[in-house]
Amino acid sequence: MRAAGPALRFVAAALIVRGGEVLIGQRRPDQPMAMQWEFPGGKIEAGESAEQALARELHEELGIQATVGPRVTRIRHNYRHGGAVDLQFFAVNEFTGEIENRIFHQLRWVKLEDLPGYDFLAADRGLIRDLAAGKLL
């Protein structure tokens, strides 16, 4: 018996906020959806909570120990080419360590209202509108 439809990936992502700005990362040219912007985070592995997965991913991607705050929103997005993602976004207002870019093409601190000027992954675009409008955070 085959599973119906495309696989659903569960992902946790961080809204790392500092003084009205949020940290965003740009995918590398060699990655799928190259050069688009996203929030740091990654796949939730079996046996992990979303918060545990996010703390692990932030350590792997940015070299920080993050205090994962409340969940801000949850989005399910179906990509046109098939595949679906269930995204949970968490506020991260505290972390220890210096942020270092370990996986992204570039990292940038951006004012919330300026987020719509960046080419984000399709799954993030509704969230971007809400953040820029001063909702959620």
Side-chain angles (χ1 to χ4, degrees), residues 25-91:
Q26 188 178 38
R27 290 187 170 216
R28 294 190 317 270
D30 60 335
Q31 286 180 294
M33 296 176 270
M35 307 307 285
Q36 286 191 296
W37 292 86
E38 63 183 345
F39 295 100
K43 207 164 80 179
I44 302 169
E45 304 290 352
E48 282 183 319
S49 71
E51 291 86 348
Q52 288 168 331
L54 186 54
R56 175 184 52 75
E57 288 281 351
L58 293 176
H59 184 255
E60 291 171 7
E61 294 183 359
L62 303 173
I64 60 175
Q65 270 70 45
T67 303
V68 178
R71 187 168 77 191
V72 175
T73 191
R74 185 171 196 164
I75 298 167
R76 187 165 284 193
H77 181 80
N78 297 303
Y79 282 100
R80 280 197 304 271
H81 58 73
V85 63
D86 181 290
L87 285 160
Q88 296 183 63
F89 292 90
F90 293 87

Side-chain angles (χ1 to χ4, degrees), residues 17 26 36 39 45 48 83 86 88 91 93-94 96 101 104 114-115 126 134:
V17 180
Q26 188 178 38
Q36 286 191 296
F39 295 100
E45 304 290 352
E48 282 183 319
D86 181 290
Q88 296 183 63
N93 299 310
E94 295 174 41
T96 56
N101 181 2
F104 293 102
D114 293 339
L115 287 172

